[in-house]
Amino acid sequence: MQVDELLKPFPIKEFHPFPRALLGPGSHEMIGPEALKLGFRKTLVMTSGLRGTDVVHKIVESMKYHGLEVVVYDKVESNPKDYNVMDAVGLYQDNECDSFVSIGGGSSHDACKGARIAVAHDGRNVNEFEGFNKSENPKNPPHIAVSTTAGTGSETSWAYVITDTTTDPDNPHKYVAFDDASVTTLAIDDPVLYYDCPVDYTAQCGFDVLAHASEPYVSRLNFEPSLGNALRAIKLTAENLRQAVWNGQDLAGREGMMYAQYIAAQAFNSGGLGIIHSISHAVSAFYDTHHGLNNAIALPRVWAFNMPTQYKRFAEMAEAMGVDTYGMTDVQAADAALEAAIRLLRDVGITEKFTDVTADTYSKNRLGQGPTAFYENAGTITGDSDDVDRITNHVLGDACTPGNAKECTFETVRPVVDHCMNGDLDDLLS
């Protein structure tokens, strides 16, 4: 059954559960006792390594202090690849581990979720589980997710995103797997761990939050239990992202973004996403660029695309972002929301179109770095007609697209993608 057949016209709406969570300064120090309480004995830690910080070392040593055996897999890449997942599965099986801990952002958590699903199915390839609840065994190893960024909210959602590099090596495919069995056992969000997050990375992750919050607020699912969290997350992001970016050791800013990302993920967990994410997944698949950066570039264009279907909701978003909408019509206020989003993007210093992204644009950039031959040869975002076409086609096959506020076809979406690649944001304000 196709994704659109599963989702449209949304006559029955499903609420997906959240894991237990510890949130706040110092919460990461509880990982040892919590792991023991959950029955952990020999744990595989999955992480990107968080090089340049001592976060992984401190947490691993704390776990060892509490008597846990620890095996570390620290090769998770941004936009985690299928081989990251399967290498971790092999390590888990070879060392006879019984549990997982992921440390990092969405990449570490997503790769870990995929590894748990694969382990529960005797090491079958993670790509077999693309789609909705494709796993057959609901029981898999316990998992504590420790977040070091305020972005994806993967520690509390039922989604994980993996790039398939093996099915068709010449056309990598980034997909979303939604699976209730992938939900973590315990989420730990500690804003103190965000202090080491680079300025540009903080900004990009913050726009991931804004995308997570705004898309369910205007989604065609129109899921009432998600709307309050979505609007609150928009407000928290508008109030805290600038401070978190430019004064990274400000606890109030970091904690505000911690809550924003946590409840934004809870909003989309059942309220759905849209083509901000679909465009991001497509660009990541072909260029390995950071998900948050992609969301930031796509967000203003997709807001403008969707606005005619949801002027009132966008007007409410403007108010949440601090715009004085008194005396404005819904259309005027919606336009003001778009202007506020572009101002926020510029205030935190994010690149405004994909063809301006180069190898030295941001600290987590992977353009042309490999490790496969495809990515070694994808060192420049061309934005030409063929590039726009392949990204548009990827968008139309993405699991997030059916929830988009406005109906999506090749003819309607292609101009949005083209503007993301080549357009000027000021065009949206005229």
Side-chain angles (χ1 to χ4, degrees), residues 221-248:
L221 273 76
N222 193 31
F223 189 59
E224 284 288 347
S226 292
L227 300 183
N229 275 352
L231 200 61
R232 180 65 179 171
I234 292 168
K235 179 177 174 61
L236 286 170
T237 302
E239 291 175 346
N240 291 285
L241 182 57
R242 293 175 178 87
Q243 187 71 358
V245 169
W246 300 119
N247 185 9

mmCIF file of all heavy atoms in Angstrom, residues 221-248:
data_model
loop_
_atom_site.group_PDB
_atom_site.id
_atom_site.type_symbol
_atom_site.label_atom_id
_atom_site.label_comp_id
_atom_site.label_asym_id
_atom_site.label_seq_id
_atom_site.Cartn_x
_atom_site.Cartn_y
_atom_site.Cartn_z
ATOM 1 N N LEU A 221 -3.429 16.673 8.437
ATOM 2 C CA LEU A 221 -3.936 15.787 9.474
ATOM 3 C C LEU A 221 -4.778 16.555 10.487
ATOM 4 O O LEU A 221 -5.713 16.019 11.061
ATOM 5 C CB LEU A 221 -2.791 15.094 10.213
ATOM 6 C CG LEU A 221 -2.256 13.799 9.619
ATOM 7 C CD1 LEU A 221 -1.375 14.066 8.414
ATOM 8 C CD2 LEU A 221 -1.469 13.021 10.668
ATOM 9 N N ASN A 222 -4.375 17.827 10.749
ATOM 10 C CA ASN A 222 -5.120 18.695 11.664
ATOM 11 C C ASN A 222 -5.425 17.960 12.978
ATOM 12 O O ASN A 222 -6.572 17.887 13.429
ATOM 13 C CB ASN A 222 -6.420 19.177 11.008
ATOM 14 C CG ASN A 222 -7.064 20.316 11.785
ATOM 15 O OD1 ASN A 222 -6.374 21.113 12.411
ATOM 16 N ND2 ASN A 222 -8.380 20.394 11.739
ATOM 17 N N PHE A 223 -4.362 17.467 13.613
ATOM 18 C CA PHE A 223 -4.503 16.609 14.793
ATOM 19 C C PHE A 223 -4.550 17.469 16.051
ATOM 20 O O PHE A 223 -3.537 18.033 16.465
ATOM 21 C CB PHE A 223 -3.329 15.623 14.838
ATOM 22 C CG PHE A 223 -3.456 14.544 15.864
ATOM 23 C CD1 PHE A 223 -4.528 13.663 15.837
ATOM 24 C CD2 PHE A 223 -2.500 14.393 16.849
ATOM 25 C CE1 PHE A 223 -4.643 12.646 16.776
ATOM 26 C CE2 PHE A 223 -2.600 13.385 17.795
ATOM 27 C CZ PHE A 223 -3.679 12.512 17.759
ATOM 28 N N GLU A 224 -5.703 17.601 16.629
ATOM 29 C CA GLU A 224 -5.922 18.531 17.739
ATOM 30 C C GLU A 224 -4.917 18.366 18.888
ATOM 31 O O GLU A 224 -4.415 19.359 19.422
ATOM 32 C CB GLU A 224 -7.347 18.404 18.267
ATOM 33 C CG GLU A 224 -8.394 19.053 17.376
ATOM 34 C CD GLU A 224 -8.359 20.576 17.414
ATOM 35 O OE1 GLU A 224 -7.695 21.138 18.295
ATOM 36 O OE2 GLU A 224 -9.005 21.192 16.555
ATOM 37 N N PRO A 225 -4.612 17.129 19.345
ATOM 38 C CA PRO A 225 -3.666 17.010 20.464
ATOM 39 C C PRO A 225 -2.269 17.525 20.176
ATOM 40 O O PRO A 225 -1.480 17.732 21.097
ATOM 41 C CB PRO A 225 -3.651 15.497 20.736
ATOM 42 C CG PRO A 225 -4.955 15.002 20.236
ATOM 43 C CD PRO A 225 -5.228 15.829 19.013
ATOM 44 N N SER A 226 -1.942 17.751 18.888
ATOM 45 C CA SER A 226 -0.611 18.254 18.527
ATOM 46 C C SER A 226 -0.535 19.767 18.448
ATOM 47 O O SER A 226 0.564 20.334 18.492
ATOM 48 C CB SER A 226 -0.179 17.674 17.169
ATOM 49 O OG SER A 226 0.051 16.296 17.250
ATOM 50 N N LEU A 227 -1.665 20.436 18.303
ATOM 51 C CA LEU A 227 -1.642 21.848 17.945
ATOM 52 C C LEU A 227 -1.084 22.735 19.059
ATOM 53 O O LEU A 227 -0.346 23.683 18.790
ATOM 54 C CB LEU A 227 -3.046 22.314 17.551
ATOM 55 C CG LEU A 227 -3.669 21.578 16.364
ATOM 56 C CD1 LEU A 227 -5.029 22.177 16.024
ATOM 57 C CD2 LEU A 227 -2.744 21.619 15.144
ATOM 58 N N GLY A 228 -1.432 22.444 20.305
ATOM 59 C CA GLY A 228 -0.934 23.265 21.403
ATOM 60 C C GLY A 228 0.572 23.180 21.529
ATOM 61 O O GLY A 228 1.262 24.206 21.676
ATOM 62 N N ASN A 229 1.115 21.951 21.475
ATOM 63 C CA ASN A 229 2.559 21.786 21.533
ATOM 64 C C ASN A 229 3.245 22.472 20.360
ATOM 65 O O ASN A 229 4.311 23.087 20.510
ATOM 66 C CB ASN A 229 2.924 20.299 21.535
ATOM 67 C CG ASN A 229 2.898 19.698 22.928
ATOM 68 O OD1 ASN A 229 2.756 20.408 23.924
ATOM 69 N ND2 ASN A 229 3.029 18.389 23.009
ATOM 70 N N ALA A 230 2.667 22.361 19.178
ATOM 71 C CA ALA A 230 3.274 22.971 17.994
ATOM 72 C C ALA A 230 3.394 24.480 18.159
ATOM 73 O O ALA A 230 4.463 25.071 17.920
ATOM 74 C CB ALA A 230 2.447 22.624 16.756
ATOM 75 N N LEU A 231 2.314 25.114 18.576
ATOM 76 C CA LEU A 231 2.335 26.571 18.704
ATOM 77 C C LEU A 231 3.272 27.011 19.818
ATOM 78 O O LEU A 231 4.001 28.007 19.688
ATOM 79 C CB LEU A 231 0.913 27.083 18.976
ATOM 80 C CG LEU A 231 0.666 28.567 18.672
ATOM 81 C CD1 LEU A 231 0.916 28.866 17.202
ATOM 82 C CD2 LEU A 231 -0.754 28.957 19.066
ATOM 83 N N ARG A 232 3.284 26.276 20.921
ATOM 84 C CA ARG A 232 4.189 26.611 22.025
ATOM 85 C C ARG A 232 5.654 26.471 21.598
ATOM 86 O O ARG A 232 6.499 27.289 21.966
ATOM 87 C CB ARG A 232 3.894 25.707 23.227
ATOM 88 C CG ARG A 232 4.789 25.963 24.434
ATOM 89 C CD ARG A 232 4.575 27.337 25.011
ATOM 90 N NE ARG A 232 5.417 27.564 26.190
ATOM 91 C CZ ARG A 232 5.560 28.741 26.788
ATOM 92 N NH1 ARG A 232 4.921 29.806 26.318
ATOM 93 N NH2 ARG A 232 6.328 28.861 27.855
ATOM 94 N N ALA A 233 5.956 25.441 20.809
ATOM 95 C CA ALA A 233 7.331 25.252 20.348
ATOM 96 C C ALA A 233 7.762 26.379 19.412
ATOM 97 O O ALA A 233 8.924 26.798 19.429
ATOM 98 C CB ALA A 233 7.469 23.899 19.658
ATOM 99 N N ILE A 234 6.850 26.869 18.581
ATOM 100 C CA ILE A 234 7.156 28.016 17.724
ATOM 101 C C ILE A 234 7.509 29.224 18.587
ATOM 102 O O ILE A 234 8.494 29.927 18.329
ATOM 103 C CB ILE A 234 5.959 28.329 16.802
ATOM 104 C CG1 ILE A 234 5.767 27.208 15.779
ATOM 105 C CG2 ILE A 234 6.151 29.674 16.093
ATOM 106 C CD1 ILE A 234 4.452 27.275 15.028
ATOM 107 N N LYS A 235 6.715 29.461 19.610
ATOM 108 C CA LYS A 235 6.956 30.598 20.515
ATOM 109 C C LYS A 235 8.309 30.464 21.225
ATOM 110 O O LYS A 235 9.101 31.412 21.269
ATOM 111 C CB LYS A 235 5.829 30.685 21.543
ATOM 112 C CG LYS A 235 5.969 31.812 22.554
ATOM 113 C CD LYS A 235 4.763 31.856 23.487
ATOM 114 C CE LYS A 235 4.924 32.869 24.609
ATOM 115 N NZ LYS A 235 5.073 34.254 24.094
ATOM 116 N N LEU A 236 8.597 29.274 21.747
ATOM 117 C CA LEU A 236 9.861 29.063 22.447
ATOM 118 C C LEU A 236 11.056 29.237 21.521
ATOM 119 O O LEU A 236 12.092 29.788 21.920
ATOM 120 C CB LEU A 236 9.881 27.667 23.075
ATOM 121 C CG LEU A 236 9.024 27.460 24.321
ATOM 122 C CD1 LEU A 236 8.945 25.982 24.676
ATOM 123 C CD2 LEU A 236 9.582 28.258 25.501
ATOM 124 N N THR A 237 10.926 28.781 20.289
ATOM 125 C CA THR A 237 12.021 28.935 19.330
ATOM 126 C C THR A 237 12.268 30.405 19.009
ATOM 127 O O THR A 237 13.421 30.876 19.010
ATOM 128 C CB THR A 237 11.714 28.154 18.043
ATOM 129 O OG1 THR A 237 11.505 26.776 18.356
ATOM 130 C CG2 THR A 237 12.858 28.283 17.045
ATOM 131 N N ALA A 238 11.200 31.136 18.759
ATOM 132 C CA ALA A 238 11.345 32.560 18.449
ATOM 133 C C ALA A 238 11.963 33.323 19.617
ATOM 134 O O ALA A 238 12.720 34.282 19.418
ATOM 135 C CB ALA A 238 9.985 33.154 18.091
ATOM 136 N N GLU A 239 11.656 32.908 20.822
ATOM 137 C CA GLU A 239 12.149 33.609 22.011
ATOM 138 C C GLU A 239 13.568 33.223 22.402
ATOM 139 O O GLU A 239 14.273 34.015 23.041
ATOM 140 C CB GLU A 239 11.219 33.328 23.194
ATOM 141 C CG GLU A 239 9.848 33.958 23.067
ATOM 142 C CD GLU A 239 8.898 33.570 24.184
ATOM 143 O OE1 GLU A 239 9.202 32.606 24.931
ATOM 144 O OE2 GLU A 239 7.850 34.221 24.322
ATOM 145 N N ASN A 240 14.018 32.012 22.041
ATOM 146 C CA ASN A 240 15.272 31.502 22.603
ATOM 147 C C ASN A 240 16.378 31.199 21.607
ATOM 148 O O ASN A 240 17.534 31.074 22.006
ATOM 149 C CB ASN A 240 14.983 30.220 23.402
ATOM 150 C CG ASN A 240 14.193 30.484 24.668
ATOM 151 O OD1 ASN A 240 14.726 30.986 25.654
ATOM 152 N ND2 ASN A 240 12.915 30.147 24.635
ATOM 153 N N LEU A 241 16.055 31.060 20.325
ATOM 154 C CA LEU A 241 17.086 30.587 19.400
ATOM 155 C C LEU A 241 18.229 31.583 19.246
ATOM 156 O O LEU A 241 19.406 31.195 19.246
ATOM 157 C CB LEU A 241 16.481 30.267 18.032
ATOM 158 C CG LEU A 241 17.485 29.710 17.009
ATOM 159 C CD1 LEU A 241 18.169 28.456 17.533
ATOM 160 C CD2 LEU A 241 16.806 29.442 15.676
ATOM 161 N N ARG A 242 17.934 32.854 19.138
ATOM 162 C CA ARG A 242 19.017 33.833 18.965
ATOM 163 C C ARG A 242 19.988 33.783 20.138
ATOM 164 O O ARG A 242 21.208 33.809 19.952
ATOM 165 C CB ARG A 242 18.432 35.244 18.817
ATOM 166 C CG ARG A 242 17.627 35.459 17.536
ATOM 167 C CD ARG A 242 16.981 36.838 17.542
ATOM 168 N NE ARG A 242 16.238 37.133 16.310
ATOM 169 C CZ ARG A 242 14.964 36.802 16.113
ATOM 170 N NH1 ARG A 242 14.284 36.169 17.075
ATOM 171 N NH2 ARG A 242 14.366 37.109 14.971
ATOM 172 N N GLN A 243 19.451 33.701 21.346
ATOM 173 C CA GLN A 243 20.312 33.661 22.528
ATOM 174 C C GLN A 243 21.118 32.369 22.571
ATOM 175 O O GLN A 243 22.309 32.369 22.909
ATOM 176 C CB GLN A 243 19.456 33.793 23.804
ATOM 177 C CG GLN A 243 20.246 33.944 25.093
ATOM 178 C CD GLN A 243 20.928 35.301 25.221
ATOM 179 O OE1 GLN A 243 20.836 36.137 24.322
ATOM 180 N NE2 GLN A 243 21.626 35.503 26.326
ATOM 181 N N ALA A 244 20.483 31.246 22.233
ATOM 182 C CA ALA A 244 21.195 29.970 22.234
ATOM 183 C C ALA A 244 22.333 29.967 21.217
ATOM 184 O O ALA A 244 23.403 29.393 21.457
ATOM 185 C CB ALA A 244 20.217 28.833 21.941
ATOM 186 N N VAL A 245 22.120 30.630 20.083
ATOM 187 C CA VAL A 245 23.146 30.675 19.039
ATOM 188 C C VAL A 245 24.307 31.573 19.437
ATOM 189 O O VAL A 245 25.472 31.172 19.380
ATOM 190 C CB VAL A 245 22.527 31.161 17.700
ATOM 191 C CG1 VAL A 245 23.619 31.480 16.677
ATOM 192 C CG2 VAL A 245 21.570 30.112 17.145
ATOM 193 N N TRP A 246 24.005 32.784 19.855
ATOM 194 C CA TRP A 246 25.058 33.788 20.031
ATOM 195 C C TRP A 246 25.600 33.890 21.449
ATOM 196 O O TRP A 246 26.607 34.574 21.682
ATOM 197 C CB TRP A 246 24.557 35.152 19.554
ATOM 198 C CG TRP A 246 24.176 35.146 18.110
ATOM 199 C CD1 TRP A 246 22.953 35.400 17.579
ATOM 200 C CD2 TRP A 246 25.024 34.854 16.996
ATOM 201 N NE1 TRP A 246 22.982 35.288 16.204
ATOM 202 C CE2 TRP A 246 24.249 34.951 15.819
ATOM 203 C CE3 TRP A 246 26.377 34.502 16.876
ATOM 204 C CZ2 TRP A 246 24.766 34.717 14.552
ATOM 205 C CZ3 TRP A 246 26.896 34.273 15.600
ATOM 206 C CH2 TRP A 246 26.100 34.385 14.464
ATOM 207 N N ASN A 247 24.964 33.239 22.382
ATOM 208 C CA ASN A 247 25.480 33.176 23.754
ATOM 209 C C ASN A 247 25.256 31.755 24.246
ATOM 210 O O ASN A 247 24.410 31.487 25.094
ATOM 211 C CB ASN A 247 24.761 34.190 24.650
ATOM 212 C CG ASN A 247 25.344 34.258 26.040
ATOM 213 O OD1 ASN A 247 26.391 33.671 26.316
ATOM 214 N ND2 ASN A 247 24.665 34.961 26.936
ATOM 215 N N GLY A 248 26.025 30.831 23.662
ATOM 216 C CA GLY A 248 25.753 29.404 23.791
ATOM 217 C C GLY A 248 25.799 28.839 25.185
ATOM 218 O O GLY A 248 25.281 27.753 25.431
#
